[in-house]
Amino acid sequence: MRFKRKIVPEFKPKQNFIIKKRLREDEIDFDKLRSYRLDRVKKELEKNNLEACILFDPVNVRYALDSVNMSVYNMHNLTRYCFIPVNGPTILYEYFNCEKLSEHLHLIDELRPVITWDYFSNGDQSEQQLKKWVNEVKDLSNSYFKSKKIAIDVLNGPAVSALNKENIQVVDAKLILEQARVIKSNDEIKCMRSAIDVAEMGIVKMKEQLKPGMTENELWSILHQTNIENYGEWIECRLLASGERTNPWMQECSNKIIQDKEIVSFDTDMVGPYGYCADISRAFVVGDKFNDDQKKLYSMAVEQIDYNSNLIKPGLSFKEFIEKSWNLPDDYYGNRYSCMVHGIGLCDEWPFIRYPTDGGQKEGCFEKNMTITVESYIGKVGGKEGVKLEQQYLIGENALELMSHYPLEDI
């Protein structure tokens, strides 16, 4: 169904500046990429007997419409969102005076000024603004979701209560978007390869510049710079640690001074070009000479990743994978990582496959064109150091294709 766009084109003289191309830009069919993703969202809505969704999460807005504006800011402020009906116009509610940013995106049928009701933006006018927003949603319902049932991904309590009072039922859009995002198109895979290329450029520089006396933060900043200068976007976490701070894992990057012969472990968690994530973990030893204890930790991590990745193929159930997965020894189990496998796309995505004792997702199976990471953290409970490794894969016709190519250490 076609809709007349309510976006007035702006005609200006050709702008006089030069733009450097992003990695693989000429290989990617952006129209095809965007149409595929929006179609996935609409099909998941239909599958769940829903007529429309409203998306606030900037990652979901990016997936559905490829529209970007102040992503990190909008992760904690409800100041930008989109409306996507199965049958009807896609509408982007854009931040103040930012409509120009999405004029080129032809899957957006209409741009409207955002209606916000958060206290930061509106102060003592918040309640009045919320009423305006609810009236807007009621108008959308009268035309595009007459069931009075809508999926929304992020919403605060007052807004849910206000919609319920108008007999509009809110359901969680998280399931809709996670399932939409799980199977990647060829153009998405090209985007992801670009992000991995940038991450591995950063890792090369980190290894080259690693030396005793620098801080963890100084080493970590190299990856950030490489990402930003190659049109990447942000890094989700601060997971780089050295020496005794590598055990237990999940200690955030600090101003600790890195010493000779220490392990340095890190997890990129990098949202790179085109918004796709490169999620790779590596561990170095300062000076490159692993001692016997470090060799043991590293070898165990490699063994776990190799063993678990060799299990995975299309059709393997999550339940069977968990049952057959590598057996982490008891002395290390208390320091286990939060998962063995997770999906990856614009960020960490469904599924999230935990250790046997931890519950979590067991229904479902691995499918062709899912992209995943296989994780390992090896650090003895009470031990001195630990090793974090992670590889990124594409599930192919019969097995996994390794997408991350920065080599593991030859010890």
Side-chain angles (χ1 to χ4, degrees):
M1 191 178 295
R2 304 283 294 182
F3 298 91
K4 186 175 180 181
R5 296 188 84 211
K6 295 184 180 179
I7 303 171
V8 179
E10 202 172 304
F11 296 100
K12 285 188 175 181
K14 187 176 180 181
Q15 293 170 313
N16 187 28
F17 53 77
I18 300 170
I19 295 176
K20 178 182 177 181
K21 287 194 173 182
R22 297 167 289 180
L23 291 180
R24 302 177 188 263
E25 186 172 331
D26 292 335
E27 302 173 25
I28 300 163
D29 186 331
F30 290 99
D31 288 338
K32 197 172 178 181
L33 169 76
R34 291 162 184 155
S35 295
Y36 172 84
R37 297 193 312 200
L38 182 58
D39 186 59
R40 292 277 302 179
V41 174
K42 291 185 176 185
K43 283 179 177 175
E44 284 299 322
L45 287 169
E46 288 185 292
K47 190 185 298 184
N48 287 274
N49 298 313
L50 291 162
E51 297 175 83
C53 63
I54 295 175
L55 305 176
F56 286 87
D57 184 330
V59 178
N60 287 336
V61 175
R62 176 67 173 273
Y63 182 81
L65 299 179
D66 207 24
S67 178
V68 183
N69 186 12
M70 303 187 299
S71 295
V72 176
Y73 176 88
N74 285 304
M75 287 177 185
H76 58 91
N77 290 291
L78 300 177
T79 50
R80 187 175 190 265
Y81 49 91
C82 66
F83 172 74
I84 298 175
V86 173
N87 295 299
T90 60
I91 303 170
L92 177 64
Y93 290 83
E94 183 58 278
Y95 192 82
F96 179 75
N97 267 356
C98 292
E99 290 81 6
K100 182 174 179 57
L101 298 177
S102 295
E103 286 176 343
H104 65 293
L105 296 171
H106 298 290
L107 294 180
I108 299 172
D109 296 303
E110 187 174 347
L111 285 164
R112 297 186 186 180
V114 71
I115 302 170
T116 64
W117 66 91
D118 66 298
Y119 187 81
F120 164 67
S121 300
N122 298 286
D124 60 11
Q125 300 298 304
S126 297
E127 189 173 338
Q128 181 180 338
Q129 285 293 108
L130 178 56
K131 289 177 182 176
K132 288 182 182 178
W133 182 78
V134 170
N135 286 334
E136 180 80 3
V137 177
K138 284 169 61 179
D139 287 344
L140 294 172
S141 177
N142 291 335
S143 298
Y144 307 117
F145 64 102
K146 295 184 180 181
S147 64
K148 306 297 182 186
K149 184 178 180 181
I150 188 163
I152 305 180
D153 58 356
V154 179
L155 202 60
N156 61 16
V160 174
S161 298
L163 289 175
N164 289 343
K165 286 177 183 177
E166 299 294 334
N167 296 316
I168 296 175
Q169 181 185 354
V170 178
V171 299
D172 187 7
K174 187 73 170 175
L175 179 150
I176 306 297
L177 269 294
E178 290 289 341
Q179 290 296 322
R181 285 158 53 176
V182 73
I183 303 297
K184 306 301 188 291
S185 71
N186 288 336
D187 289 297
E188 286 189 277
I189 291 165
K190 291 174 185 176
C191 291
M192 190 174 291
R193 292 192 197 280
S194 301
I196 293 169
D197 288 347
V198 171
E200 293 185 336
M201 288 163 55
I203 293 172
V204 168
K205 293 178 182 178
M206 291 169 73
K207 182 69 179 292
E208 289 173 347
Q209 296 180 44
L210 173 60
K211 61 184 178 182
M214 70 189 311
T215 67
E216 293 171 352
N217 282 326
E218 287 168 343
L219 182 62
W220 191 226
S221 71
I222 296 167
L223 181 64
H224 286 258
Q225 179 181 348
T226 305
N227 188 35
I228 298 303
E229 68 188 9
N230 285 282
Y231 215 85
E233 302 195 5
W234 70 83
I235 293 178
E236 297 260 274
C237 305
R238 289 178 48 80
L239 293 175
L240 181 148
S242 61
E244 63 188 56
R245 296 187 70 255
T246 61
N247 187 345
W249 188 239
M250 299 298 290
Q251 298 185 59
E252 292 198 332
C253 196
S254 76
N255 261 359
K256 176 190 173 295
I257 295 173
I258 299 169
Q259 305 292 324
D260 191 33
K261 300 180 182 178
E262 286 185 327
I263 285 179
V264 175
S265 285
F266 61 91
D267 187 341
T268 61
D269 291 310
M270 192 198 87
V271 179
Y274 315 111
Y276 280 83
C277 191
D279 197 5
I280 304 163
S281 297
R282 292 293 185 265
F284 304 143
V285 167
V286 184
D288 290 332
K289 294 182 180 179
F290 287 72
N291 64 35
D292 289 344
D293 290 337
Q294 292 167 340
K295 286 180 182 179
K296 179 181 178 181
L297 296 171
Y298 199 96
S299 296
M300 288 174 66
V302 171
E303 182 181 345
Q304 181 178 24
I305 286 181
D306 286 348
Y307 185 96
N308 285 346
S309 62
N310 285 329
L311 292 174
I312 298 170
K313 59 184 178 181
L316 177 74
S317 72
F318 301 148
K319 185 173 184 291
E320 185 178 0
F321 171 79
I322 294 168
E323 290 170 350
K324 292 181 175 180
S325 61
W326 190 75
N327 186 29
L328 184 62
D330 290 345
D331 289 350
Y332 298 81
Y333 201 78
N335 275 348
R336 65 193 176 279
Y337 193 64
S338 57
C339 69
M340 296 182 286
V341 174
H342 66 77
I344 193 73
L346 294 176
C347 58
D348 286 10
E349 296 179 351
W350 184 92
F352 191 81
I353 310 298
R354 300 178 184 271
Y355 280 85
T357 57
D358 296 337
Q361 181 74 41
K362 292 183 181 177
E363 298 301 316
C365 66
F366 295 102
E367 299 178 61
K368 182 183 175 184
N369 285 350
M370 288 173 64
T371 45
I372 61 171
T373 75
V374 180
E375 302 261 14
S376 177
Y377 172 74
I378 302 294
K380 184 179 285 189
V381 175
K384 182 181 177 183
E385 293 182 304
V387 165
K388 175 69 167 61
L389 296 180
E390 180 181 16
Q391 296 278 47
Q392 195 159 334
Y393 297 94
L394 167 66
I395 300 181
E397 191 74 46
N398 300 303
L400 298 186
E401 176 196 330
L402 183 63
M403 298 183 77
S404 46
H405 297 296
Y406 186 92
L408 298 176
E409 299 300 299
D410 182 11
I411 60 171

